[in-house]
């Protein structure tokens, strides 16, 4: 037998309704926030992620599924959705649309990571990206959209926010970080030693215990924000405060991708083990220009569907019940089975879910099968029913039976 690749998951027939529920909830939130769906390819040119996500990130450095195609081009399965969304925006000239351009997507993403609970090699993200507004109000709106989505699903998380400043104040902060890390370099991991030169901010995101210890007393970005970034951050916080959305400012949040500027945020839970971030995002005002477009601010987030599902299961959040079969129609012989087939087809065409036997089962076995399907109603067609043009429909929840004319079944069930 050939098994499923490590770090991937099947969605089984009796579990797919949970996926549909999360996706429908996402679409519902997107609708009320006026976000339009975009779809981008599963793979992109590798260069997009190197430039967009950044070469000093683990995602690009260690985790990409990259291969050469038959034409000799370097291709990468997308490790996230933002770089692709930005490419779509630039390539399709969306900069000439009325601003902001508000988008969302539900996409698979691929990262070659060590699989564990909540961490897969193929996973799925519901993400939103809003292009063309530098107002702090947009930051707050995006955070509210994430919060509304999590609330609708009924999951409990904590919101943590931070600002990592702009190019100007970050340069200042990076200098301070370098000064701080300088004397500890020899005790840090190899990756962090290389980050020290390229992007010292990234050291704050290191998962190695020895590096984490050193970062504890590192200077805080908040103390280095320029006036513009500081005002922006205050504006975001004021809007969250006004609406009573609880959060904590965590100056340690730097996010694992290089494109961020100003506001960054994460919704975290301690109920799903080490991979506690169910949703993360932030502003990325430099990305569009980095990828060759005219400079344009943007902000977004992505929530991991599998992590959400894990959180829902671990904390006993109820999914709505799987849709049941409305009516099961049993036949006994060739003629009555043909009639069952005919009625089921008519009902299906009218939008009512109906099921029949496919395996020549006895009537008793068909009742058992209908029960397994959770059919709400069951009807048996025999010789008498064919003659009278009427069937007894049994309500499976209370056992009552009602005689209904063949032509009236739809009305009865509605
Ligand atoms: P990210 O924090 O790398 O951000 O990923 C967003 C979410 O995807 C995480 O919070 C987590 O729920 C889920 N996720 C990430 N990696 C895995 C994995 N290996 N297995 C399962 N779930 C995972 C981004 O991807 C940004 N593009 C978000 C964004 C959008 N920022 C601005 N716009």
């Amino acid at each position: 037998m050939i098994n499923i690749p490590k770090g991937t998951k099947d969605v089984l027939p009796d579990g797919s309704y949970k996926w549909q529920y999360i996706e429908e909830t996402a679409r519902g939130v997107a609708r009320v926030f006026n976000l339009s769906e975009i779809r981008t390819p599963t793979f992109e040119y590798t260069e997009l992620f190197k430039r967009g996500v950044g070469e000093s990130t683990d995602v690009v450095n260690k985790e990409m599924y990259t291969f050469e195609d038959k034409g000799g081009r370097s291709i990468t399965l997308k490790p996230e959705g933002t770089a692709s969304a930005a490419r779509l925006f630039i390539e399709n000239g969306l900069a000439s649309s009325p601003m902001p351009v508000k988008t969302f997507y539900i996409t698979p993403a691929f990262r070659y990571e060590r699989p564990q609970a909540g961490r897969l090699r193929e996973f799925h993200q519901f993400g939103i990206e809003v292009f063309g507004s530098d107002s702090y109000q947009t930051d707050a709106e995006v955070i509210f959209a994430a919060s509304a989505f999590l609330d609708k699903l009924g999951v409990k998380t904590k919101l943590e926010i931070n600002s990592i400043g702009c190019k100007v104040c970050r340069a200042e902060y990076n200098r301070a970080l370098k000064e701080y890390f300088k004397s500890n370099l020899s005790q840090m991991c190899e990756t962090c030693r290389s980050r020290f030169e390229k992007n010292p901010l990234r050291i704050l995101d290191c998962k190695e215990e020895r590096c984490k210890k050193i970062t504890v007393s590192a200077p805080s970005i908040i103390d280095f924000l320029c006036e513009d970034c500081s005002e922006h951050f205050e504006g975001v916080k004021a809007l969250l405060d006004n609406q009573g959305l609880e959060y904590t400012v965590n100056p340690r949040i730097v996010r694992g991708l290089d494109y961020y500027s100003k506001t960054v945020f994460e919704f975290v839970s301690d109920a799903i083990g080490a991979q506690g971030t169910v949703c993360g995002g932030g502003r990325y005002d430099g990305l569009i220009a980095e990828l060759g477009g005219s400079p344009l601010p943007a902000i977004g987030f992505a929530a991991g569907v599998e992590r959400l599902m894990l959180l829902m299961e671990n904390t006993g959040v109820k999914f709505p019940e799987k849709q049941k079969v409305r009516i099961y129609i049993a036949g006994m012989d060739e003629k009555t089975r043909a009639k069952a087939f005919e009625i089921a087809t008519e009902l299906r065409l009218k939008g009512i879910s109906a099921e029949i036997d496919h395996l020549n089962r006895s009537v008793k076995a068909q009742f058992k099968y209908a029960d397994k399907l959770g059919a709400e109603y069951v009807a048996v067609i025999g010789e008498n029913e064919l003659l009278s043009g009427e069937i007894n429909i049994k309500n499976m929840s209370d056992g009552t039976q009602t005689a209904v004319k063949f032509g009236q079944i739809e009305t009865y069930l509605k």
Side-chain angles (χ1 to χ4, degrees), residues 113 116 144 199 214 235 252 255 258 265 286 373 376 405:
E113 296 194 78
Q116 62 179 85
F144 273 109
N199 190 353
I214 298 170
R252 283 283 170 276
R255 309 279 301 129
D258 274 352
F265 59 92
L373 294 178
E376 292 168 32
K405 293 239 172 326

Side-chain angles (χ1 to χ4, degrees), residues 48-218:
L48 176 70
F49 303 114
K50 283 195 173 169
R51 263 168 60 191
V53 175
E55 299 209 60
S56 71
T57 61
D58 280 354
V59 169
V60 168
N61 249 329
K62 305 180 182 166
E63 299 167 1
M64 291 209 299
Y65 277 90
T66 298
F67 59 96
E68 209 170 84
D69 71 5
K70 289 193 165 60
R73 289 164 289 249
S74 182
I75 296 289
T76 294
L77 302 185
K78 65 180 160 189
E80 56 105 49
T82 309
S84 296
R87 183 210 38 78
L88 170 148
F89 182 88
I90 300 166
E91 192 168 347
N92 294 283
L94 298 190
S96 60
S97 321
M99 292 292 156
V101 174
K102 299 171 70 175
T103 69
F104 85 96
Y105 51 83
I106 298 172
T107 183
F110 306 84
R111 295 183 192 176
Y112 193 80
E113 296 194 78
R114 204 165 37 79
Q116 62 179 85
R119 191 163 73 191
L120 293 143
R121 291 184 173 169
E122 181 183 20
F123 57 99
H124 296 77
Q125 291 185 336
F126 162 50
I128 82 172
E129 313 291 353
V130 176
F131 299 97
S133 159
D134 61 6
S135 158
Y136 60 77
Q137 192 173 319
T138 312
D139 303 41
E141 181 173 307
V142 165
I143 294 172
F144 273 109
S147 162
F149 171 58
L150 298 169
D151 276 357
K152 273 245 158 0
L153 289 176
V155 296
K156 295 233 165 2
T157 55
K158 289 206 176 88
L159 168 61
E160 300 190 343
I161 64 171
N162 189 22
S163 172
I164 57 166
C166 60
K167 262 194 188 141
V168 180
C169 44
R170 189 121 33 90
E172 187 80 15
Y173 180 56
N174 274 336
R175 266 194 292 279
L177 277 182
K178 272 182 144 173
E179 195 51 42
Y180 172 81
F181 286 127
K182 203 167 62 181
S183 52
N184 295 307
L185 257 189
S186 58
Q187 297 145 50
M188 290 159 87
C189 76
E190 208 179 305
T191 319
C192 281
R193 285 203 295 262
S194 76
R195 283 165 170 161
F196 180 80
E197 284 308 329
K198 281 193 240 154
N199 190 353
L201 186 80
R202 191 120 316 293
I203 297 175
L204 299 179
D205 196 38
C206 186
K207 305 288 179 289
E208 295 247 353
E209 268 321 309
R210 55 183 161 153
C211 301
K212 272 191 180 164
K213 265 191 207 139
I214 298 170
T215 62
V216 171
S217 339

Side-chain angles (χ1 to χ4, degrees), residues 118-398:
R119 191 163 73 191
L120 293 143
R121 291 184 173 169
E122 181 183 20
F123 57 99
H124 296 77
Q125 291 185 336
F126 162 50
I128 82 172
E129 313 291 353
V130 176
F131 299 97
S133 159
D134 61 6
S135 158
Y136 60 77
Q137 192 173 319
T138 312
D139 303 41
E141 181 173 307
V142 165
I143 294 172
F144 273 109
S147 162
F149 171 58
L150 298 169
D151 276 357
K152 273 245 158 0
L153 289 176
V155 296
K156 295 233 165 2
T157 55
K158 289 206 176 88
L159 168 61
E160 300 190 343
I161 64 171
N162 189 22
S163 172
I164 57 166
C166 60
K167 262 194 188 141
V168 180
C169 44
R170 189 121 33 90
E172 187 80 15
Y173 180 56
N174 274 336
R175 266 194 292 279
L177 277 182
K178 272 182 144 173
E179 195 51 42
Y180 172 81
F181 286 127
K182 203 167 62 181
S183 52
N184 295 307
L185 257 189
S186 58
Q187 297 145 50
M188 290 159 87
C189 76
E190 208 179 305
T191 319
C192 281
R193 285 203 295 262
S194 76
R195 283 165 170 161
F196 180 80
E197 284 308 329
K198 281 193 240 154
N199 190 353
L201 186 80
R202 191 120 316 293
I203 297 175
L204 299 179
D205 196 38
C206 186
K207 305 288 179 289
E208 295 247 353
E209 268 321 309
R210 55 183 161 153
C211 301
K212 272 191 180 164
K213 265 191 207 139
I214 298 170
T215 62
V216 171
S217 339
S220 165
I221 177 75
I222 302 284
D223 300 329
F224 288 79
L225 294 180
C226 64
E227 207 180 315
D228 178 41
C229 289
S230 183
E231 270 175 20
H232 187 95
F233 195 44
E234 290 308 314
V236 177
K237 288 193 292 181
L239 281 180
L240 301 185
D241 290 337
N242 279 349
Q243 300 289 320
L245 188 62
E246 278 179 35
Y247 61 86
T248 48
V249 174
N250 177 356
R252 283 283 170 276
I253 296 184
V254 295
R255 309 279 301 129
L257 314 156
D258 274 352
Y259 43 63
Y260 291 110
S261 54
K262 292 187 175 166
T263 317
V264 289
F265 59 92
E266 293 183 346
F267 287 83
V268 295
S269 161
D270 49 18
I272 48 171
Q275 305 302 316
T277 310
V278 288
C279 174
R283 186 164 270 290
Y284 50 95
D285 290 348
L287 181 61
I288 295 280
E290 179 63 42
L291 295 176
S294 308
L296 195 81
I299 177 164
F301 74 76
V305 177
E306 287 85 351
R307 261 183 220 180
L308 274 169
M309 211 167 287
L310 188 66
L311 178 58
M312 291 171 79
E313 282 162 0
N314 284 4
T315 54
V317 174
K318 289 259 177 306
F319 285 88
E321 274 193 31
K322 191 179 175 215
Q323 196 92 35
K324 301 253 167 72
V325 169
R326 189 92 170 121
I327 185 164
Y328 183 94
I329 305 159
M332 294 175 164
D333 55 17
E334 218 177 316
K335 254 165 72 189
T336 51
R337 281 172 186 277
K339 188 66 189 172
F341 184 93
E342 182 193 310
I343 295 174
T345 305
E346 275 169 19
L347 290 174
R348 287 164 175 169
L349 292 179
K350 286 173 176 149
I352 293 169
S353 73
E355 191 51 287
I356 51 172
D357 177 42
H358 295 255
L359 300 177
N360 265 320
R361 291 177 176 89
S362 68
V363 170
K364 195 172 158 210
Q366 288 189 60
F367 259 93
K368 253 195 185 160
Y369 176 51
D371 198 44
K372 281 220 177 91
L373 294 178
E376 292 168 32
Y377 294 89
V378 177
V380 184
I381 305 182
E383 208 49 48
N384 290 343
E385 284 74 15
L386 276 189
L387 288 173
S388 66
E390 205 176 78
I391 43 172
N392 275 327
I393 297 183
K394 182 169 178 184
N395 180 332
M396 299 304 277
S397 60
D398 61 15

